Amino acid sequence: MFEAIEKNTELLSLVNKHHLIIHADSYSDLEQCKFIKVIDGDGLLVVKEEETLNIRLAYIDAPEHNQEYGLDSKRWLKKQLLNSSSIVSVRFLDFDEKHERYIADIFIKSYSLSWLMVVTGNAWTYYDFLSNEVEECYIEAQYFARKYRLGLWANNLFSIPPWIHRADQKGNETSLRVESARILMAVGEAMLDDAEGEKSKIIAEAKLQIEFNRHYYPMRYFHQVRLAHVKYIGIVCNNVSWDIKNGYNGLDGDEVNIPFFQLALKASKGDEEASYEYECWKKALYMAVGKVNLPEDYRKPLTEEWIETLINRVKNWVSQSRD
């Protein structure tokens, strides 16, 4: 079921850690239904007592058909269902009246299909619809898929989430509100893989703020996505000063504290991993132009000029550092 990653010890550790959430044996309210059709990467039809039900998989959001990896996500889901018994175990959680469909967690071969979709990189964790009980389970699954570049993460570490894609398609404007807790968590995930103790400390501190923040941010994880366009460049590192006109107005020497600068330096020395991530980050910044605001006190739209000034500053610093 996990294909090439099934022997990954980190994955097995996740399965054991979250067994009570992702395994069918933990639930007594499962109902048996017959699978009949996959609609898309997070939707399918089942039959229960001769009634056809439209199911939306809980906790996840798969790429849309017209998004990168959208059709791949649908094919992966269809393959899993066709390879299993046509009878699936369904845990009904809610009913979406607007779309006339049930929100449900479906289990195949005893495991949550939603969780399998995320951990294999075939869907996003749908942050705003996670309960306290499943939040850590699904966030860690997505971190695993991203870390190993599985599925939708294979060619782009900064894929656009489906809910942002849908908003963009409708022409909705979105703005960026910085939530320090999630910035810290993302920095811990992205930058501190080799410093587990420090990473754990940062994540622990961030979690203390999550409950407070969730009540005041309807899309409390929005910046975890869009800050992949700004935050991962290191804005939050060491109180570095940023300027909307000049891109960066910190003192000479501050660059050593900014991951984006350090990544560019590694890339210039032939580090293929650093080169890949550096290009991803630049691409992500340009994707955010006109769609997000710079954080903190600026509240002004991100522009190409700002990005180009930043990148030129990086290039100049790298050149000086190598001389």
Side-chain angles (χ1 to χ4, degrees), residues 276-302:
Y276 172 83
E277 295 199 20
Y278 181 63
E279 291 303 317
C280 279
W281 289 358
K282 288 198 296 184
K283 177 182 177 181
L285 271 175
Y286 282 108
M287 289 167 61
V289 168
K291 298 176 182 176
V292 303
N293 295 339
L294 288 173
E296 299 300 346
D297 298 329
Y298 303 118
R299 307 296 182 197
K300 296 181 180 179
L302 184 65

Side-chain angles (χ1 to χ4, degrees), residues 78 144 179 189 262-263 268 278 310:
K78 186 175 183 180
F144 174 87
E179 179 186 338
E189 291 176 351
Q262 290 298 320
L263 198 64
S268 73
Y278 181 63
L310 168 64

Side-chain angles (χ1 to χ4, degrees), residues 27-302:
Y27 304 99
S28 59
D29 55 350
L30 299 181
E31 300 186 44
Q32 302 304 300
C33 299
K34 182 180 180 180
F35 156 73
I36 57 174
K37 182 181 179 180
V38 168
I39 300 172
D40 52 29
D42 50 38
L44 60 149
L45 300 179
V46 301
V47 173
K48 175 188 175 186
E49 298 175 353
E50 300 185 356
E51 179 184 4
T52 300
L53 305 179
N54 188 344
I55 301 294
R56 174 64 157 81
L57 293 177
Y59 312 129
I60 71 172
D61 202 2
E64 299 292 331
H65 282 154
N66 59 345
Q67 272 190 278
E68 181 182 7
Y69 205 78
L71 295 179
D72 298 279
S73 174
K74 179 181 179 180
R75 281 193 288 265
W76 191 90
L77 177 60
K78 186 175 183 180
K79 178 181 178 181
Q80 305 315 305
L81 289 162
L82 292 178
N83 285 346
S84 65
S85 168
S86 61
I87 303 300
V88 295
S89 298
V90 183
R91 183 172 179 241
F92 292 96
L93 300 176
D94 201 355
F95 183 73
D96 178 1
E97 295 184 359
K98 179 180 179 180
H99 299 97
E100 297 184 344
R101 61 189 180 186
Y102 289 89
I103 310 300
D105 200 1
I106 290 181
F107 295 81
I108 58 172
K109 298 182 180 179
S110 298
Y111 285 96
S112 166
L113 189 52
S114 293
W115 191 81
L116 293 174
M117 289 285 289
V118 174
V119 83
T120 55
N122 285 281
W124 281 76
T125 288
Y126 207 167
Y127 305 118
D128 279 324
F129 294 91
L130 298 180
S131 63
N132 291 340
E133 292 76 16
V134 305
E135 182 175 73
E136 182 180 14
C137 172
Y138 277 83
I139 287 178
E140 289 189 357
Q142 180 163 293
Y143 176 57
F144 174 87
R146 187 175 184 178
K147 177 179 179 180
Y148 289 100
R149 296 179 183 168
L150 304 177
L152 65 90
W153 307 105
N155 299 316
N156 188 357
L157 286 177
F158 300 108
S159 299
I160 297 295
W163 58 92
I164 303 300
H165 174 76
R166 291 191 294 268
D168 288 345
Q169 292 290 298
K170 295 177 182 178
N172 294 348
E173 292 185 3
T174 49
S175 62
L176 181 66
R177 184 107 182 243
V178 174
E179 179 186 338
S180 58
R182 287 297 174 185
I183 295 174
L184 288 174
M185 288 188 73
V187 170
E189 291 176 351
M191 303 298 180
L192 299 173
D193 280 343
D194 295 328
E196 290 298 326
E198 190 65 20
K199 173 183 171 183
S200 298
K201 178 182 177 182
I202 290 175
I203 292 177
E205 291 174 351
K207 286 183 177 180
L208 295 176
Q209 301 179 43
I210 291 174
E211 276 307 307
F212 174 81
N213 288 333
R214 79 166 62 247
H215 297 296
Y216 296 96
Y217 294 89
M219 290 188 69
R220 63 188 182 278
Y221 293 89
F222 179 71
H223 72 277
Q224 188 176 27
V225 176
R226 285 306 192 191
L227 274 183
H229 306 60
V230 180
K231 171 265 311 170
Y232 279 117
I233 312 307
I235 285 181
V236 297
C237 294
N238 295 300
N239 297 314
V240 175
S241 180
W242 296 82
D243 183 86
I244 186 65
K245 180 179 180 180
N246 300 317
Y248 170 79
N249 67 350
L251 298 175
D252 288 337
D254 281 351
E255 294 91 342
V256 297
N257 299 318
I258 307 174
F260 191 49
F261 283 73
Q262 290 298 320
L263 198 64
L265 183 59
K266 289 182 180 179
S268 73
K269 296 178 179 179
D271 186 319
E272 294 183 0
E273 184 80 4
S275 296
Y276 172 83
E277 295 199 20
Y278 181 63
E279 291 303 317
C280 279
W281 289 358
K282 288 198 296 184
K283 177 182 177 181
L285 271 175
Y286 282 108
M287 289 167 61
V289 168
K291 298 176 182 176
V292 303
N293 295 339
L294 288 173
E296 299 300 346
D297 298 329
Y298 303 118
R299 307 296 182 197
K300 296 181 180 179
L302 184 65

